[in-house]
Amino acid sequence: MPRFSIVVPSHGVAGRLSQALDSVLAQSFGDFELIPVCDAPDSPAADVVAGYAERDSRVTPVNSPPSAGLAGARNTGLRAAVGGHVLFLDGDDVLAPGALAALDARLRDTGEVDVLYAEHERTPWWEGEPGNPAAPLLAGTPDGAFSPDRAPELTGVALPAWSAVYRRAFLTEQDLTFPGDHFTDVGFGGLVALRAERMAVLRTVVVRHLLRRQGNRLGLPGEHHAELLDQTELVLTRAGEQGLSPQRLKPLFEQLFAAVLKTAAHPRRLLAGHRAFFRRASGLYRRHRPSGYRPPGGSLGVQHRLLAAGSYTAFRALRAANRQALRAAALLPRPRGLRTRLRYAAALRRPLDRNLVVYCAYWGRGYACNPAAIHAKARELAPHLRSVFLVEPDAVDTLPEGLEYAVIGSRKYWEVLARAKYLVNNANFADAVVKRPGSVHLQTQHGTPLKKMGTDQATYPVVAAATGSFARLLARIDRWDYNLTSNRHSTEMWERAFPGAHEILEYGYPRNDVYCTASAEDVARVRRELGVPEGKKALLYAPTHRDYATGFASGLDLAELCEAIGDDYVVLLRAHYFYDRGASRGGGRIIDVTGHRSSEDVCLAADALITDYSSIMFDYANLDRPIVVYADDWDVYRETRGVYFDLMGFPPGRIARTAGELAAVFRDGTWADESATALRAAFRLRFCQFDDGRAAERVVRRVLLGEPPESIPPVVPLAERVPAPAAATLVRS
């Protein structure tokens, strides 16, 4: 039997789950079992956990449906536990180094106790000093093991479940499980303290609670706050049945109603039913108030007296007086220019146009990427919707004929932004754009992240300086309702890089649909348009942007490469879109396609891809054609830009470190041999999960048509997809 069973619920925290699991497996004390609780075998968290279970026999995952909530997940893990003592660790928190060794040593010192309370650290998600809220509560407790009567302030309701260790036999004998759906720590902690006969404390930080930017879920508005009263009633009823002494009942009563009054006084937590919440709380207060109880002094005492009297009108007036603040509208960002500001403000007062969709791609560069693919599918499935693309003035001539557009900064631009029900972008709208109630913002992204993104860039000075204000970035993220992802890797990284309350849609990238729907005729047409000679193999060279470099400078001499690999090849040069130099130019062995508006067309035309660290490799992998990584400055790029995984250890094909090595893999054929094919197959398995040709349909149905998630077409398995054919005959997996 292991010393400890550590239960880790994982719902909604796949992006940070690996940190939690790593913090457990890295403990110096190794006598434990680790029980991650996943939503289902195919959930994002299950993908993360599976790798750990394969590598370490102490990891034994179990499943609990999301509908069971946090309480259900913990109870499922508790039923599976076989250790002598049980810890509960949230999936987005970490165990402090040496925590298990410290707990083991303390338990040996105190002997068998039913519950061992420990300190925890609340770590701000961005900046600020960590706090230790448990320390004052535990400071005055006896040094050794003690009975609850000797520490009446230790009621259990003011500490989270993961700030303690529980003797499993005690929980089983007393039939103690997590009650309800919300505020379950209040109920569980209170019941544990009521039933425990021996307690002890460890005045050492055991858990580092990593605060989420979007805050605790319990702090969000909603009807779930009524469940705080359920937990309060449960604990106080059990205390009454148990005949709890007045010495212990008073602090229990005060701590419970401190939480109740905090919710009652918070105007935004209860969307409706403020009066009903107050009325029920008042009844519980009078029913369970200890005999001879005297309320505290000050404003809190006034709240106690008003609650006891059931005076909701007076309580509401007190709440309003204590929470004077400026209206949020005064703090909203505004577009520049008085006339524009006034017009925009006037448009914001008009009703939303529920049939208006506004699209933008790459900050107005034109009709491209995921927004364009979604627009095309919306014309088919939702023809009643009016679509407007936002573009810079120099991109107007590149738009498809008949497409309605608005030039960025124009009067029409601000009008459609103010009134559109749906706003779709693969980057971000201007800071001045207001998120109106009822509007729907869809962030489609424009690539799978290899390099660090969003707030993860903060620790890389060169990138952080170019990113600008992270506060503004976070304000933009707060406007999102949905964020699109094409694989589980992206799901996890976006959660970390773009913290917010939006919903992740694992639907695939609509722009990549064409890789499963294009025909041989489509491939031939694109090659003719780009000027690829008949019978030649086209190698697409697509390097990424270097944050530490100024301007575009290819690290590869393409003329020398063409000379070295022979006449069978031509090279399609596509620089990063930051260096778009206009229309594509053809001719000779090197064809500049940087200005071609569709990267999907360019990929279809190419028989193989040469890239460094560009996210185009993840999209191109959907075609199941050879990829060669030219990594001449990987170490510099990794250190200055930051990356999410080691591309050199998990490449999509052959790796070349020098121009000579690159030429050699094409001369000797290893660019497309069995080994390269095997690397590509593993890469596709990890990064081509959701791009099956129906991503745009899923997005349109769910976001623009409002269809329920269960009616959305499922993702076609990778093995059943048929990629668009390559022009040349190549070794295929």
Side-chain angles (χ1 to χ4, degrees):
M1 180 175 69
R3 177 66 153 163
F4 298 110
S5 294
I6 304 168
V7 177
V8 185
S10 63
H11 178 63
V13 294
R16 300 208 288 193
L17 179 59
S18 60
Q19 298 177 68
L21 302 182
D22 287 341
S23 74
V24 176
L25 296 174
Q27 292 289 311
S28 57
F29 183 92
D31 186 14
F32 63 81
E33 63 171 349
L34 176 56
I35 308 175
V37 186
C38 306
D39 297 344
D42 60 347
S43 66
D47 283 355
V48 175
V49 168
Y52 286 89
E54 290 176 3
R55 297 189 297 270
D56 197 313
S57 60
R58 295 173 297 179
V59 181
T60 55
V62 295
N63 296 322
S64 176
S67 59
L70 176 62
R74 286 175 174 170
N75 290 334
T76 298
L78 180 57
R79 287 192 295 269
V82 297
H85 293 79
V86 182
L87 291 78
F88 298 96
L89 179 70
D90 283 356
D92 52 357
D93 294 339
V94 296
L95 275 186
L100 295 184
L103 290 169
D104 176 67
R106 185 59 174 155
L107 289 171
R108 293 182 188 279
D109 289 342
T110 62
E112 286 297 329
V113 293
D114 297 325
V115 56
L116 172 64
Y117 294 104
E119 295 178 0
H120 65 271
E121 192 173 80
R122 292 170 59 87
T123 305
W125 84 273
W126 185 248
E127 61 182 11
E129 292 297 320
N132 188 341
L137 187 60
L138 303 184
T141 56
D143 290 335
F146 54 87
S147 67
D149 289 334
R150 295 182 60 197
E153 297 292 330
L154 201 54
T155 66
V157 301
L159 290 174
W162 37 259
S163 197
V165 179
Y166 311 89
R167 186 166 61 89
R168 188 172 62 85
F170 159 70
L171 297 179
T172 303
E173 291 163 3
Q174 298 295 330
D175 194 25
L176 290 170
T177 57
F178 288 86
D181 295 324
H182 298 89
F183 300 96
T184 187
D185 283 14
V186 173
F188 181 77
L191 296 178
V192 165
L194 288 174
R195 297 291 178 84
E197 295 181 359
R198 281 171 55 84
M199 299 175 171
V201 301
L202 172 63
R203 298 183 184 92
T204 299
V205 170
V206 169
V207 172
R208 287 178 178 158
H209 176 52
L210 308 180
L211 297 172
R212 298 166 64 90
R213 175 179 176 254
Q214 51 270 48
N216 190 312
R217 296 183 183 91
L218 296 181
L220 297 176
E223 297 178 357
H224 63 277
H225 287 282
E227 295 185 41
L228 174 58
L229 300 180
D230 296 338
Q231 302 289 357
T232 298
E233 183 173 18
L234 170 65
V235 173
L236 289 175
T237 299
R238 295 285 177 84
E241 295 170 350
Q242 187 172 315
L244 198 67
S245 67
Q247 180 189 17
R248 293 182 60 192
L249 183 57
K250 178 185 175 182
L252 176 63
F253 180 85
E254 284 191 337
Q255 290 176 24
L256 285 168
F257 276 97
V260 170
L261 285 168
K262 184 177 181 180
T263 296
H266 201 298
R268 296 179 182 174
R269 288 190 177 178
L270 296 167
L271 294 175
H274 294 82
R275 187 181 296 274
F277 182 93
F278 186 87
R279 185 184 301 117
R280 184 185 171 196
S282 178
L284 289 175
Y285 188 97
R286 292 192 298 270
R287 189 180 317 131
H288 295 283
R289 178 172 48 189
S291 177
Y293 176 73
R294 298 182 62 181
S299 175
L300 181 59
V302 174
Q303 294 181 50
H304 271 260
R305 293 181 176 87
L306 293 176
L307 186 63
S311 303
Y312 176 71
T313 302
F315 182 86
R316 184 175 60 181
L318 176 66
R319 181 185 68 190
N322 290 339
R323 300 185 64 88
Q324 292 297 322
L326 295 175
R327 288 286 182 183
L331 302 176
L332 290 173
R334 302 173 180 178
R336 294 180 180 178
L338 178 60
R339 182 178 299 177
T340 301
R341 194 157 62 235
L342 292 174
R343 287 173 177 167
Y344 185 50
L348 287 171
R349 289 194 292 269
R350 298 173 62 190
L352 284 175
D353 185 339
R354 300 192 174 277
N355 290 322
L356 176 58
V357 189
V358 170
Y359 299 89
C360 190
Y362 298 117
W363 303 275
R365 290 182 63 246
Y367 188 78
C369 195
N370 291 317
I374 294 170
H375 167 264
K377 183 58 67 172
R379 292 180 62 183
E380 173 189 336
L381 299 179
H384 63 285
L385 296 176
R386 173 194 172 198
S387 300
V388 178
F389 249 84
L390 306 181
V391 293
E392 290 288 355
D394 58 0
V396 170
D397 292 341
T398 69
L399 298 176
E401 186 177 350
L403 179 70
E404 185 177 357
Y405 66 90
V407 174
I408 290 177
S410 67
R411 180 175 182 174
K412 181 178 180 180
Y413 166 84
W414 287 110
E415 181 179 351
V416 296
L417 280 174
R419 300 204 57 207
K421 164 78 173 181
Y422 306 99
L423 295 95
V424 181
N425 206 325
N426 74 348
N428 261 307
F429 291 100
D431 291 339
V433 173
V434 174
K435 174 69 165 71
R436 296 186 63 179
S439 65
V440 177
H441 285 236
L442 169 64
Q443 168 59 250
T444 74
Q445 303 294 346
H446 54 272
T448 290
L450 167 62
K451 61 188 178 184
K452 292 293 180 75
M453 300 291 290
T455 58
D456 287 341
Q457 299 173 345
T459 55
Y460 294 87
V462 173
V463 189
T467 301
S469 169
F470 283 96
R472 291 185 178 181
L473 170 64
L474 294 170
R476 295 191 288 268
I477 293 169
D478 285 342
R479 295 186 304 215
W480 303 354
D481 293 288
Y482 299 104
N483 188 17
L484 205 56
T485 178
S486 60
N487 46 62
R488 285 281 160 80
H489 165 77
S490 296
T491 299
E492 296 171 27
M493 298 310 106
W494 292 154
E495 183 182 324
R496 290 170 45 181
F498 302 119
H502 50 267
E503 179 182 350
I504 291 285
L505 297 180
E506 292 185 322
Y507 287 175
Y509 282 159
R511 72 181 185 190
N512 292 343
D513 284 353
V514 69
Y515 298 142
C516 291
T517 61
S519 64
E521 290 75 19
D522 294 323
V523 173
R525 171 186 54 78
V526 173
R527 287 169 67 92
R528 287 195 300 271
E529 291 175 357
L530 296 179
V532 178
E534 283 285 340
K536 299 290 186 181
K537 295 185 179 70
L539 306 179
L540 172 58
Y541 175 52
T544 192
H545 168 65
R546 300 296 195 278
D547 297 273
Y548 52 86
T550 302
F552 173 71
S554 173
L556 185 64
D557 189 319
L558 295 181
E560 287 188 4
L561 176 67
C562 289
E563 184 68 24
I565 62 178
D567 294 337
D568 290 340
Y569 301 94
V570 295
V571 174
L572 306 177
L573 168 62
R574 187 169 182 83
H576 190 275
Y577 57 79
F578 286 176
Y579 312 112
D580 184 350
R581 290 171 288 182
S584 58
R585 298 189 295 274
R589 300 274 306 278
I590 303 170
I591 304 173
D592 187 346
V593 295
T594 301
H596 191 81
R597 290 295 169 181
S598 171
S599 63
E600 296 77 55
D601 278 358
V602 174
C603 287
L604 285 173
D607 298 299
L609 170 67
I610 304 171
T611 187
D612 41 24
Y613 326 117
S614 170
S615 65
I616 198 171
M617 72 178 79
F618 301 99
D619 305 311
Y620 191 82
N622 286 285
L623 288 168
D624 198 14
R625 302 178 191 175
I627 302 173
V628 178
V629 175
Y630 180 57
D632 62 330
D633 62 345
W634 168 249
D635 294 332
V636 175
Y637 185 86
R638 180 181 57 189
E639 291 301 319
T640 57
R641 188 59 174 86
V643 295
Y644 286 116
F645 70 94
D646 182 10
L647 182 63
M648 301 302 101
F650 196 85
R654 291 293 184 186
I655 298 174
R657 292 280 194 169
T658 67
E661 290 179 3
L662 181 62
V665 299
F666 285 98
R667 285 199 305 267
D668 61 23
T670 55
W671 62 295
D673 65 6
E674 291 183 4
S675 178
T677 301
L679 291 171
R680 185 169 74 252
F683 192 85
R684 280 167 48 81
L685 194 63
R686 180 177 179 184
F687 295 113
C688 298
Q689 289 170 296
F690 309 136
D691 289 337
D692 64 347
R694 301 190 68 179
E697 178 185 354
R698 284 189 281 269
V699 171
V700 171
R701 291 191 182 280
R702 177 70 190 284
V703 178
L704 302 185
L705 294 178
E707 295 183 8
E710 57 270 17
S711 70
I712 304 303
V715 174
V716 177
L718 184 63
E720 298 177 15
R721 302 175 205 165
V722 180
T729 302
L730 300 170
V731 177
R732 300 287 296 276
S733 63

